[in-house]
Amino acid sequence: MAEHEQFMRRAVELARSVWGTTHPNPMVGAVIVESSATDSEAPGTILAEGATSPDGGPHAERVALNAWREDEPHYGATPHTTLYVTMEPCSTEGRTGACTDAIIASGIRRVVVGTLDPNPAHAGRGIDILREAGIEVMTGILEAECRGLNIIFNHWITTHTPLFAAKTATTLDGRIACRTGDSRWITGEVARADVMRWRRLFPAIAVGAGTVMQDNPRLTSRIEGEEEWCPIRFVFDGLLSTASRLSTRGLPALYTDEFKHRTIVVTTPHGGLGYVRQLRERGVQVWVLPSPTQRVGWAEFRQKCAGEQIFGVYIEGGAQILSQLLREAQIDYLFSYQAPMLFGDDRAKPMMRGLRTERLGQAVRLAEPLHTILGDDVLTRGRVVYPNDLSLDETVFSHG
Ligand SMILES: NC(=O)C1=CN([C@@H]2O[C@H](COP(=O)(O)OP(=O)(O)OC[C@H]3O[C@@H](n4cnc5c(N)ncnc54)[C@H](OP(=O)(O)O)[C@@H]3O)[C@@H](O)[C@H]2O)C=CC1
Ligand SMILES: Nc1c(N[C@@H]2O[C@H](COP(=O)(O)O)[C@@H](O)[C@H]2O)[nH]c(=O)[nH]c1=O
Ligand SMILES: [Zn+2]
């Protein structure tokens, strides 16, 4: 078992090496290993490795098999050759041919799988096909880790909508900014560097107009040793106040920097066509979504993203948009970074508000939470589970 975990860990590492580059495909890693025919205690030798190719190219299993065949033109599979793969091999033609076919053709007799493919077209089918072909299949090695590699894919493939992940950086008493709006920085360098990794994974980031005006953020992924990366950057601004204040407050970086064509302002017909035109003339994109009020509806935004093939959105705040998302049960996943400080000030900004939680049974919870210590701070993350009787505190939202 320890050996299986060792090679699966290598496969997970390979999957991570293509972080954020494979959408809509999952990140998968594969390793082909030869064990000793005579000494079952001897460590196996890695023959070939692979990871999912970017943009719909060959899957990890095929990349590994192709690399192996370069060395062994007729494959050299023996009864002691094992393929380790983080996710169940696909079993439908797709764009690149079923991996189950390629594995069977290679003569490999043993496959170790991390997790099942959540795609209902595959789920378990790939395993059945391999077994029917006489291949020994073992499942569930480092399962949680392998499944956790693909939070975006897992959601997309089962719901056909993007994963909406909220991210907050709070004090111990759950505040994201002081009463004045000051919030830089609550979390320390290590936690902020971790945020940069998630920004590299998600195809898009979203913030509200209040955050743009208070923080003038860049919203790019800046990782030491890597080129700066810019996801799509959504700005929620129903009345286009960020555009109308341009002349008095100067232009937000999101509308002027070298990635401004990656900024999409999301607004309503109440925002004013003149501002929409001005933004577009600058090279900034604008989505005007139908809405009876000055607020874009989150369900409409989700559908629009799905139509545009945007597979996941990392929503960084502020308090107002996060509170709306919570009360509409639109947050699928939460990244909560918590720093060891507290404000103890009622007028500091709470990360989310507006629910009426009278009993613990009504609490919003995280399923299978993961905790990571990052310098002085702690990240708690997980899938959000809402109670059946989510109840709103109307007194809060009558004031916006
Ligand atoms: N620590 C942390 O993790 C973070 C802290 N912050 C801090 O939070 C503060 C900003 O938060 P907050 O003031 O609540 O502002 P938000 O960033 O939530 O933006 C609120 C504004 O966005 C617009 N808006 C809200 N909902 C919608 C919608 N559904 N559709 C279109 N536009 C919408 C509104 O414009 P209008 O009023 O015109 O309708 C509103 O003024 C800052 O101090 C910032 O530093 C921000 C992000 C993260
Ligand atoms: N204050 C705060 C965060 N704030 C978030 O980061 C944004 C700034 O991004 P950038 O300009 O790209 O560095 C800011 O507008 C807000 O969304 N994030 C954190 O991880 N920790 C923190 O303490
Ligand atoms: Zn495949």
Side-chain angles (χ1 to χ4, degrees):
M1 198 54 98
E3 180 168 287
H4 290 328
E5 287 194 2
Q6 175 201 331
F7 289 119
M8 190 60 81
R9 214 168 286 292
R10 175 64 191 147
V12 168
E13 226 172 81
L14 289 161
R16 288 219 176 94
S17 72
V18 290
W19 190 256
T21 66
T22 62
H23 304 302
N25 281 345
M27 293 177 273
V28 178
V31 182
I32 301 171
V33 174
E34 186 69 27
S35 312
S36 164
T38 49
D39 181 0
S40 61
E41 297 295 306
T45 312
I46 294 182
L47 301 177
E49 300 182 327
T52 314
S53 319
D55 305 327
H59 297 177
E61 301 90 317
R62 275 185 192 271
V63 174
L65 287 169
N66 290 344
W68 184 32
R69 187 146 59 168
E70 264 174 31
D71 289 345
E72 296 255 359
H74 304 292
Y75 295 120
T78 73
H80 306 282
T81 315
T82 308
L83 169 71
Y84 291 85
V85 60
T86 54
M87 199 177 85
E88 172 185 4
C90 66
S91 50
T92 50
E93 265 311 298
R95 277 169 297 188
T96 53
C99 287
T100 46
D101 290 346
I103 295 166
I104 293 166
S106 74
I108 286 179
R109 311 301 296 159
R110 190 160 71 154
V111 176
V112 180
V113 171
T115 184
L116 293 189
D117 184 343
N119 184 348
H122 295 150
R125 196 168 154 245
I127 308 244
D128 292 345
I129 290 173
L130 294 177
R131 286 196 175 131
E132 277 157 25
I135 294 173
E136 180 192 339
V137 184
M138 192 180 283
T139 57
I141 305 294
L142 298 186
E143 184 170 8
E145 214 168 310
C146 290
R147 191 175 55 242
L149 275 170
N150 289 303
I151 54 174
I152 295 177
F153 169 79
N154 297 348
H155 183 86
W156 176 265
I157 207 69
T158 48
T159 65
H160 305 290
T161 72
L163 180 77
F164 278 3
K167 170 248 158 177
T168 57
T170 68
T171 60
L172 293 177
D173 52 343
R175 306 288 166 156
I176 64 163
C178 300
R179 57 165 70 202
T180 55
D182 187 17
S183 69
R184 292 168 113 161
W185 298 103
I186 294 173
T187 53
E189 259 177 51
V190 183
R192 296 200 323 269
D194 189 65
V195 169
M196 294 293 159
R197 284 182 55 248
W198 295 106
R199 285 184 179 179
R200 181 64 190 86
L201 178 69
F202 278 82
I205 298 189
V207 291
T211 299
V212 171
M213 277 175 318
Q214 174 72 30
D215 294 352
N216 193 16
R218 279 180 74 83
L219 305 182
T220 54
S221 173
R222 303 177 300 275
I223 298 174
E224 220 182 292
E226 289 182 22
E227 210 177 313
E228 185 172 5
W229 166 264
C230 188
I232 293 168
R233 302 176 297 185
F234 287 116
V235 176
F236 275 81
D237 190 356
L239 290 178
L240 289 180
S241 46
T242 53
S244 61
R245 292 196 197 173
L246 293 186
S247 50
T248 50
R249 306 221 2 194
L251 301 171
L254 298 175
Y255 303 164
T256 56
D257 68 12
E258 68 269 43
F259 302 115
K260 64 182 180 191
H261 58 282
R262 304 276 290 158
T263 302
I264 303 181
V265 180
V266 189
T267 189
T268 65
H270 310 279
L273 280 178
Y275 293 128
V276 173
R277 199 181 49 245
Q278 280 179 31
L279 284 167
R280 286 185 175 145
E281 277 168 6
R282 294 189 169 281
V284 173
Q285 301 179 58
V286 184
W287 287 359
V288 183
L289 300 188
S291 170
T293 71
Q294 83 229 40
R295 301 266 154 88
V296 173
W298 293 98
E300 284 74 32
F301 174 64
R302 190 186 279 276
Q303 285 314 317
K304 172 79 175 162
C305 287
E308 298 287 328
Q309 300 270 290
I310 294 170
F311 307 107
V313 186
Y314 191 64
I315 306 171
E316 295 213 27
Q320 202 182 103
I321 67 168
L322 291 177
S323 301
Q324 284 173 29
L325 282 156
L326 179 72
R327 85 179 202 139
E328 293 179 29
Q330 289 279 350
I331 304 174
D332 305 310
Y333 199 92
L334 177 67
F335 291 84
S336 163
Y337 294 85
Q338 205 168 40
M341 66 165 91
L342 53 84
F343 295 157
D345 181 345
D346 266 354
R347 303 198 51 187
K349 275 189 190 293
M351 69 188 253
M352 291 175 203
R353 59 207 272 269
L355 294 187
R356 189 182 173 97
T357 307
E358 294 183 340
R359 287 169 292 100
L360 286 175
Q362 273 179 298
V364 176
R365 291 178 183 268
L366 299 192
E368 297 174 24
L370 293 171
H371 306 279
T372 316
I373 293 175
L374 298 161
D376 288 345
D377 308 323
V378 179
L379 165 64
T380 301
R381 65 183 175 99
R383 199 165 46 76
V384 177
V385 182
Y386 295 91
N388 293 329
D389 50 351
L390 191 77
S391 162
L392 310 184
D393 182 347
E394 297 300 342
T395 59
V396 171
F397 280 92
S398 57
H399 299 108

